[in-house]
Amino acid sequence: MRVLVAEDERDLAALLATGLRRAGFAVDTVHAGDAALERLAVDAYDVLVLDRDLPRLHGDDVARRLVAAGSPTRILMLTASSAVEDRVDGLDLGADDYLGKPFDFPELVSRVRALRRRSARPALPPLLVRDGLVMDTVRRTAVRDGRDLDLSPKEFSVLQLLLEADGAVVSAEELLERAWDAHADPFTGAVRVCMSKLRAKLGEPGLIRTVQGVGYLL
């Protein structure tokens, strides 16, 4: 759900972040290798989109340090070089996937989603089903009793987290951490507002239950 984009070209980083957010991910951006490691030490990310030629700390060194630390974050390495040797080097450093510039944005989104599924615990099926609710995490669709729910990307992400919890309570803090970016204000009531919209779209009988002082469950 959470993606960190490490790209020194600021315009490209902004475009990547905007596109990935539209695809339903919570995205933060940094523009140097040392900044990427600092952010990864503070926040948990499912996928790191890592430009290889970063300033201050090269992307290769970022990948090496993450692998050495046993980080669960998956790495999608980007580079302007299309040489086979560079792709092999990047994968040997510990990158999980490799994409040469220029690339088609739908392919980037597809690869990020694939890496996110690999990082989930345990390997989750593409279809999540519960109480007449069917979510296709690949096609990004959700229906209840045959009715299209027409969810926003954020609503989809939150509902997916509740479904993946398989009846366990998910705290508001965990939802905020995994479905929003690092700039989200924990005091804005964003989770509560999103839950209200989700409940309205899911309809009756209600599926989402609030456990007072603990969180939410489906």
Side-chain angles (χ1 to χ4, degrees):
M1 296 295 176
R2 293 195 69 179
V3 178
L4 180 63
V5 174
E7 168 60 62
D8 64 323
E9 296 181 32
R10 291 176 181 265
D11 289 344
L12 177 56
L15 286 172
L16 291 175
T18 298
L20 288 167
R21 287 181 185 124
R22 287 174 178 167
F25 295 99
V27 185
D28 296 308
T29 59
V30 293
H31 308 294
D34 56 350
L37 288 180
E38 289 170 6
R39 183 61 64 84
L40 287 158
V42 174
D43 296 311
Y45 291 92
D46 296 292
V47 178
L48 168 64
V49 178
L50 177 66
D51 180 47
R52 193 170 187 184
D53 297 315
L54 288 174
R56 299 207 297 265
L57 185 67
H58 197 273
D60 290 358
D61 295 315
V62 174
R64 284 192 190 97
R65 295 190 189 187
L66 287 179
V67 172
S71 171
T73 301
R74 301 291 185 177
I75 302 171
L76 172 57
M77 187 172 279
L78 304 179
T79 182
S81 174
S82 59
V84 173
E85 294 82 0
D86 287 328
R87 292 201 300 271
V88 171
D89 287 346
L91 294 170
D92 283 346
L93 288 166
D96 298 282
D97 201 356
Y98 196 96
L99 193 57
K101 299 178 184 176
F103 49 80
D104 292 326
F105 195 79
E107 181 180 6
L108 173 73
V109 171
S110 178
R111 287 173 183 250
V112 170
R113 283 181 178 155
L115 289 177
R116 190 266 161 185
R117 288 194 296 272
R118 286 168 57 187
S119 69
R121 50 180 204 283
L124 295 166
L127 285 182
L128 300 173
V129 182
R130 190 179 185 89
D131 297 324
L133 180 63
V134 180
M135 173 177 282
D136 188 324
T137 60
V138 175
R139 294 181 174 85
R140 305 286 294 178
T141 60
V143 299
R144 184 181 185 189
D145 298 325
R147 175 175 57 88
D148 187 0
L149 297 179
D150 191 26
L151 302 179
S152 71
K154 190 67 66 186
E155 292 161 358
F156 190 97
S157 296
V158 169
L159 185 58
Q160 182 176 350
L161 288 169
L162 292 175
L163 280 165
E164 289 175 352
D166 195 24
V169 177
V170 183
S171 69
E173 291 77 11
E174 182 178 355
L175 290 171
L176 194 66
E177 178 183 343
R178 297 183 63 191
W180 276 263
D181 62 35
H183 301 291
D185 186 343
F187 303 106
T188 60
V191 174
R192 178 174 48 80
V193 171
C194 185
M195 283 297 175
S196 177
K197 292 179 179 178
L198 258 180
R199 284 181 167 124
K201 290 185 178 182
L202 287 169
E204 298 295 337
L207 290 179
I208 299 174
R209 182 159 69 90
T210 301
V211 181
Q212 197 63 36
V214 182
Y216 304 89
L217 63 82
L218 194 68

